[in-house]
Amino acid sequence: MNAGDTERRPWVVGVSGASGTPYAAAVLRALLAAGESVDLVVSRASRLTLLDETGISFRDAHWREDLQEWLARGADGKPGTFGVDTEGVRYWAAGDLAAGPSSGSYATKGMLIVPASTACVAGVALGLSKDLLQRAASVTLKEGRRLVVCVRETPLNGQTLRHLVSLDEAGAIVLPASPAFYAGATHIQDLVDFVAGRTLDAAGVPHQLYRRWKGELGGGSREA
C-alpha cells in the first residue's frame, strides 16, 4: 500500500436497479471533476437497467472501460458527449461482502445511492445487507457519515414511505429524483444535472451543474 492509498478518503456511490442511470453518471462525473475519489458499487439489478437505458453491458472484468463508455454518454444517449478521467474510481463488485466499504474502519466521506430503487430503500431501512450496496449504506449510517438516498420511483406506496421515514430518522438525507424547471432547462441533460447537483449539494460537494435560484423571477429563462 502506498501513501496515496492511506490518505484516500472516497465517496461511496451505489447504483441500484431503479431507472435513472443518467443521474448516476452525472453525479460520478461531477465528483471526479471536483477532485473527489469514488468507490463505486453497481448492483446486479442496475446492470440490467444500464443495459436497457444505454446498451452498455457493465462487466466486472472490464469495469473501467465500461464505466468510461457510460460516463462519456449524454443523457440523450449520444456517445462521446463528455470527456472523463476515471482514475479516481475504485470499483467493488456488489457480491463482495469483504470489500472495503463493508467495514466501518474503512474511511469514507459518506455514501450516495443514485438512483435508489424501492427495493434498495427497503433493504437499507431494514438493515438487510443482502449485498455490498446495502451493507455499505448500513455502515455509513452506523458510523454517522452522510448518506444521501436519491429515490427514483412513482407513485410511492405507504410501505415505501414508511421506509423513507425510517431512513430519515436514522440520519439519511432522502432526496427524490425530482427535476425543477426554474433553472432554465432546455435539454434533458439540464434536468438530469439539476438532480445530480442537488444530490451533491446534500453531500456538501461543490459543483456547477445548474443555475441556482437568485430570488429573481424569470431569471432562469434569461442568459446569465
Side-chain angles (χ1 to χ4, degrees):
M1 180 179 294
N2 59 41
D5 289 330
T6 60
E7 297 170 0
R8 186 177 183 274
R9 193 158 172 258
W11 284 98
V12 180
V13 176
V15 185
S16 79
S19 178
T21 55
Y23 293 132
V27 165
L28 287 166
R29 284 193 298 265
L31 284 171
L32 294 172
E36 300 286 347
S37 296
V38 172
D39 274 22
L40 176 64
V41 182
V42 179
S43 77
R44 290 186 175 91
S46 69
R47 295 172 190 239
L48 298 177
T49 308
L50 184 62
L51 179 63
D52 183 55
E53 294 184 345
T54 69
I56 297 172
S57 296
F58 197 91
R59 304 160 293 175
D60 285 346
H62 304 280
W63 69 266
R64 193 174 295 279
E65 61 191 79
D66 295 337
L67 177 65
Q68 189 77 45
E69 182 182 0
W70 175 27
L71 299 190
R73 294 195 179 208
D76 58 2
K78 183 179 179 181
T81 300
F82 298 99
V84 184
D85 182 358
T86 62
E87 285 303 310
V89 180
R90 177 179 292 172
Y91 171 73
W92 302 97
D96 184 3
L97 291 177
S102 69
S103 172
S105 65
Y106 183 81
T108 73
K109 292 184 177 180
M111 182 173 183
L112 315 176
I113 305 177
V114 53
S117 66
T118 54
C120 175
V121 165
V124 177
L126 296 173
L128 298 182
S129 295
K130 73 170 189 176
D131 61 9
L132 179 59
L133 195 160
Q134 291 184 15
R135 172 59 185 168
S138 294
V139 167
T140 301
L141 287 176
K142 81 179 183 68
E143 295 296 323
R145 298 168 186 160
R146 192 165 301 191
L147 174 64
V148 182
V149 180
C150 185
V151 60
R152 215 306 308 163
E153 186 60 86
T154 190
L156 296 172
N157 63 28
Q159 187 175 45
T160 298
L161 290 170
R162 285 188 286 273
H163 288 151
L164 291 172
V165 170
S166 295
L167 289 178
D168 175 77
E169 291 174 343
I173 298 172
V174 176
L175 193 149
S178 179
F181 296 84
Y182 62 77
T186 59
H187 190 275
I188 185 173
Q189 188 67 54
D190 298 327
L191 297 175
V192 167
D193 284 348
F194 180 87
V195 171
R198 294 297 288 149
T199 302
L200 293 174
D201 286 345
V205 176
H207 66 86
Q208 296 182 336
L209 288 175
Y210 68 89
R211 181 182 299 155
R212 298 184 181 278
W213 176 252
K214 296 182 179 179
E216 180 185 359
L217 290 175
S221 63
R222 297 191 293 270
E223 292 294 327

